Amino acid sequence: MRKRTLVILNYGALLMMNAAFYYVFIEDPTHLVDIFGLSCLAVIALTFRPLYWRSGIWKLTHDSGNDLDEREVSITREALSDSYGWFAVVCLLIMLAQSLVSRMNVCPKYTITVPLVGSLIYLAHTLPGAFIAWRDQA
Amino acid sequence: MKSRRLYNRIAALRAERGITRKELADAIGVNFQTVGYLERQEYNPSLDLAFRISEFFGFPVEFIFSTEEMKPMSSELFRRMD
């Protein structure tokens, strides 16, 4: 249950951070938005350590398969397979949103930002681990 | 194909021998968390791992693993003596 809460907090903060950095394209940026975005980044960093690092999940998804036992190989394979599919869905949704925003002329200044690209790289690395953490009820 | 749940006596045998999960895990070549999953019967081991466990405890595989819920070892012993 604790791991699920950490997954929700981690990805919730990631989403909010991107929303904050998107908001600056609509309204005049204020320091409050910057502070909110950076606070979300701090939440991501704080939840990353117990969720992926101390739990050993990072090792499962990033170490060589030779160092894992048969159960670990099995859960990692399943998590990787699921995360490939979900990562593609997330990328397609971002492309769709980008296309809609530009067609509807909602926010003409909007473009793909460095935080968004960084978030996608982060998501690609952590999504398999998030699946493992979500399913681990031990 | 969804595999059947396997029951086992690993927790009872480990307690009887007075060894930790880490010691058993090192002896059979798995992570100590995997021993926890095996003991809670949340993970079915491969045939190779099942044989490694049975060799470690010195009992036949069918004594340690079963597809049916296992009776306590004391009642099994009493039944055999009877």
Side-chain angles (χ1 to χ4, degrees), chain B residues 6-11 13 41 50-66 70:
Chain B
L6 281 186
Y7 297 90
N8 68 67
R9 290 196 164 107
I10 297 171
L13 289 169
Q41 287 145 169
F51 271 107
R52 269 186 279 154
I53 293 165
S54 77
E55 281 160 15
F56 176 81
F57 287 116
F59 288 116
V61 172
E62 66 271 21
F63 178 75
I64 302 174
F65 297 96
S66 170
M70 294 180 120

Side-chain angles (χ1 to χ4, degrees), chain A residues 87-99:
Chain A
F87 186 72
V89 169
V90 170
C91 288
L92 286 172
L93 285 175
I94 290 169
M95 285 162 68
L96 181 70
Q98 169 81 7
S99 159

Side-chain angles (χ1 to χ4, degrees), chain A residues 32-70:
Chain A
L32 209 62
V33 176
D34 289 339
I35 290 167
F36 180 72
L38 290 173
S39 305
C40 291
L41 196 62
V43 172
I44 295 167
L46 286 173
T47 50
F48 178 86
R49 198 174 142 75
L51 179 59
Y52 299 113
W53 202 257
R54 273 211 307 258
S55 65
I57 287 176
W58 190 259
K59 188 190 89 149
L60 293 183
T61 53
H62 288 78
D63 270 14
S64 157
N66 298 331
D67 299 334
L68 306 177
D69 68 35
E70 58 176 52

